[in-house]
Amino acid sequence: MLARLDDTELKASIRRQEASIVTRQKQVLEAQAWLELENDQRRRLQLLEIRSAATKEDVTAASFRVQAAKSRVETLKSREIEAKHQLEMLDRQKLSYLCKAPIGGTVIEMFHVAGEVVREGELIARIESSSQCIKIYVGFDNASGIDSFRFALHGKPLELCQVSRDVQIDGSRVVHLKLGFQTMPVGTIVPISIVSRQVLNDPLAMP
């Protein structure tokens, strides 16, 4: 990670959402407790109805109150789930506040300090890659057999790291080779040997 953008407002939103979830959870617990009380009341009225100490209308009204209490619990649980979903969305937004380098390597120069305003398109840092790649073009006649080729620079083997899926206008394909045993300035032209079932002429490659 190179830098973290100012996420003060996002952090405040996350704290508010966390507090909202705690409130929702308390409301669910209170509603569940109220539902239990309404259930107990209905059971008592049902027993009293058997003894003719309560009317059928009393039991019916109690049943309506139980159903209303159940609906409230379900509604509050749904709101709690929605609040948690919103918190997850806010947490995922944290990634958009992180500036990461597109390659691995060593930071050799920083152009800004912590807390400094950075405009869109400005450089933040300069990174020296830990590896280099050489790009070569394999002609149409040999493009279909790239996987069977062995590549070398000054007699040292090169690892095949990527073959372009797209074919060039002339039928050639782009091949990227990993240069792991030495470094050289970008733009250096070097001779690459391609060895397969037949020895081909050395094409030129540019890292």
Side-chain angles (χ1 to χ4, degrees):
M1 183 183 73
L2 290 176
R4 182 191 299 274
L5 302 180
D6 184 7
D7 58 353
T8 303
E9 185 175 345
L10 176 62
K11 288 180 178 178
S13 297
I14 290 175
R15 286 194 296 269
R16 287 194 296 268
Q17 195 61 32
E18 289 173 340
S20 175
I21 291 174
V22 172
T23 300
R24 301 290 186 194
Q25 291 172 336
K26 289 181 179 179
Q27 290 174 341
V28 169
L29 291 175
E30 291 172 357
Q32 289 174 332
W34 184 255
L35 174 60
E36 287 299 320
L37 290 174
E38 292 292 352
N39 269 321
D40 289 342
Q41 179 66 14
R42 182 176 63 175
R43 283 192 290 268
R44 283 195 294 270
L45 288 171
Q46 287 171 337
L47 292 174
L48 291 173
E49 183 186 15
I50 295 174
R51 301 171 186 172
S52 299
T55 65
K56 184 177 181 180
E57 288 74 15
D58 292 333
V59 175
T60 301
S63 296
F64 281 131
R65 290 194 297 272
V66 168
Q67 187 59 45
K70 284 183 179 179
S71 297
R72 177 169 173 75
V73 170
E74 291 173 358
T75 299
L76 292 174
K77 282 185 175 181
S78 178
R79 292 176 181 174
E80 179 189 352
I81 292 172
E82 178 61 25
K84 288 180 178 179
H85 177 64
Q86 292 177 1
L87 179 60
E88 290 174 356
M89 293 176 62
L90 289 172
D91 282 333
R92 286 196 292 270
Q93 289 182 27
K94 289 180 181 178
L95 297 177
S96 63
Y97 286 79
L98 302 180
C99 296
K100 296 184 178 181
I103 59 173
T106 303
V107 177
I108 59 175
E109 188 176 3
M110 292 294 296
F111 298 102
H112 294 276
V113 298
E116 187 176 355
V117 176
V118 179
R119 295 179 177 84
E120 183 178 356
E122 285 188 329
L123 292 177
I124 296 177
R126 191 183 304 279
I127 300 174
E128 185 178 69
S129 175
S130 56
S131 63
Q132 286 185 308
C133 286
I134 294 176
K135 181 172 69 175
I136 67 173
Y137 294 87
V138 177
F140 172 77
D141 294 339
N142 302 297
S144 61
I146 293 177
D147 293 338
S148 64
F149 293 172
R150 297 295 179 267
F151 303 89
L153 171 62
H154 304 314
K156 294 184 178 181
L158 297 171
E159 180 183 347
L160 178 65
C161 56
Q162 183 181 355
V163 177
S164 174
R165 295 181 179 179
D166 298 328
V167 179
Q168 305 298 307
I169 296 178
D170 59 0
S172 63
R173 295 179 67 184
V174 178
V175 176
H176 291 84
L177 308 171
K178 185 176 181 180
L179 182 65
F181 54 85
Q182 70 180 78
T183 59
M184 59 182 64
V186 175
T188 303
I189 297 177
V190 295
I192 301 296
S193 299
I194 301 179
V195 182
S196 62
R197 293 184 179 179
Q198 59 180 8
V199 179
L200 309 176
N201 293 329
D202 290 354
L204 294 181
M206 183 177 293

